[in-house]
Amino acid sequence: MTFTQPVLARRRSERLLAAARLTALRATFMVLDVVAPSVAAARALDLWCTLPANAGRRKDFRPGPGEVARVRLPDGGEVAVESWGSGPVVYLVHGWGGWRGQLGAFVAPLVAAGHRVVSFDAPGHGDSDPGVLGVGRGNVMEFMAALEAVADEFGPAEGVIAHSMGCTTASMVVRSSLSAQRLVLVAPNHDFVGITEDFAQLLNFTERTRSRLQQDMEDFCGRPIRDFDLAPLGADGTMPPTLVVHDRRDKETPYQVGVDLAAAWPNATLVSTDGLGHQRILNDASTIALAVGHLTDRVGATPRD
């Protein structure tokens, strides 16, 4: 016999437990920030690379099973790839903590329009092998390496649809190596320096620790983290025509990110939604129709703000 708490009680206990953990972490970082900021930065990087536990990121909107394959990565391990249909390729790129089924609602209309849709799980996500940091960890460099490896296998892109941190992944790879005719960025993430500042505020450490955290991240990536900023990435007009869709009430990536990105990229168009948040926007019929229309009809979306 098993004992199961009522859902409401369980949720309340989970919230209390999460609050207690956060309080303990804040106390720890408050001390380390003063006496050992390098240790605090290492601990912060460890937390930074830990995948979130969020049921919204595990939702499955796939229309049905596709053809599943494994693609080997240059640094070891394999990623799970699933494809549907035939024709010019459209890649789906999930965000931090997500998986390939999260963008599954885009599959059926793209296949109906004559496309092969290719989606994959980043290292440590979904059905892929763990990344170099081990189980439950990940980083943006692995996301990029995975998309590059999958694209080497499946070919150039007619289009790419990306969500959240997948927007940085897709934009960086399209900018450097993947030929793509069109791009759709849904709820794009804000710049990493800004996120580290939010992280510092949440965990109660100062610039002493935050600057070391940024340096540790740059040492790991082998490049300045400003290189990952989306707005300057396409400001020279070299990115493909891009549709940016962002919800005004997105609590994970600020709506202003989408506004600024669309303003910075001369060939980007912003469509604003209201009330869909960061996750439900991926299963919204209007969002899907706009994205598919942008990729298939080659008719730009009408700006909506």
Side-chain angles (χ1 to χ4, degrees):
M1 186 176 74
T2 59
F3 172 74
T4 303
Q5 287 179 290
V7 173
L8 289 177
R10 188 166 68 246
R11 288 176 179 169
R12 182 172 181 274
S13 66
E14 289 170 352
R15 287 198 300 269
L16 290 173
L17 182 59
R21 286 173 174 164
L22 179 58
T23 299
L25 273 175
R26 288 173 59 86
T28 299
F29 275 107
M30 185 173 68
V31 174
L32 289 176
D33 185 64
V34 175
V35 302
S38 294
V39 175
R43 176 67 175 130
L45 183 60
D46 183 60
L47 291 172
W48 179 278
C49 294
T50 300
L51 300 179
N54 181 334
R57 301 169 195 264
R58 307 289 192 271
K59 289 187 175 176
D60 186 0
F61 297 119
R62 294 173 297 171
E67 183 179 346
V68 177
R70 309 280 297 181
V71 170
R72 177 158 288 280
L73 300 176
D75 292 336
E78 295 179 339
V79 292
V81 184
E82 190 165 3
S83 63
W84 299 260
S86 59
V89 175
V90 174
Y91 292 100
L92 306 180
V93 186
H94 68 77
W96 182 243
W99 80 300
R100 64 185 190 277
Q102 207 179 5
L103 279 75
F106 294 92
V107 171
L110 285 168
V111 169
H115 289 272
R116 185 180 194 186
V117 183
V118 178
S119 192
F120 66 97
D121 296 332
H125 295 67
D127 298 322
S128 290
D129 293 342
V132 295
L133 299 177
V135 176
R137 308 287 180 81
N139 63 81
V140 67
M141 301 299 288
E142 292 179 337
F143 271 68
M144 292 166 52
L147 177 54
E148 289 169 346
V150 172
D152 283 345
E153 188 77 19
F154 289 86
E158 181 71 10
V160 181
I161 300 176
H163 175 239
S164 195
M165 199 187 82
C167 296
T168 290
T169 304
S171 299
M172 293 287 288
V173 174
V174 167
R175 172 84 185 192
S176 64
S177 61
L178 174 60
S179 174
Q181 299 300 311
R182 297 268 171 148
L183 190 58
V184 177
L185 303 180
V186 182
N189 56 288
H190 49 320
D191 66 76
F192 288 167
V193 171
I195 300 175
T196 63
E197 291 169 348
D198 294 344
F199 203 50
Q201 185 174 19
L202 175 69
L203 294 178
N204 201 27
F205 57 78
T206 71
E207 183 62 18
R208 281 191 300 274
T209 294
R210 196 213 65 80
S211 61
R212 286 173 171 81
L213 169 62
Q214 181 173 333
Q215 186 60 58
D216 289 349
M217 295 167 68
E218 292 179 343
D219 290 345
F220 181 84
C221 295
R223 60 201 305 175
I225 61 173
R226 286 290 188 192
D227 283 1
F228 298 94
D229 291 355
L230 278 172
L233 203 59
D236 61 0
T238 58
M239 295 295 280
T242 299
L243 173 66
V244 180
V245 187
H246 213 139
D247 192 82
R248 295 179 184 279
R249 302 190 209 182
D250 191 325
K251 294 180 180 178
E252 296 192 36
T253 59
Y255 168 68
Q256 191 61 39
V257 174
V259 174
D260 293 344
L261 193 158
W265 291 21
N267 50 1
T269 300
L270 173 69
V271 172
S272 306
T273 61
D274 193 12
L276 296 174
H278 192 67
Q279 304 294 342
R280 283 184 292 121
I281 196 170
L282 292 175
N283 194 35
D284 172 65
S286 296
T287 300
I288 294 164
L290 283 166
V292 173
H294 178 70
L295 297 185
T296 58
D297 296 336
R298 303 209 168 188
V299 175
T302 302
R304 214 166 63 199
D305 55 22

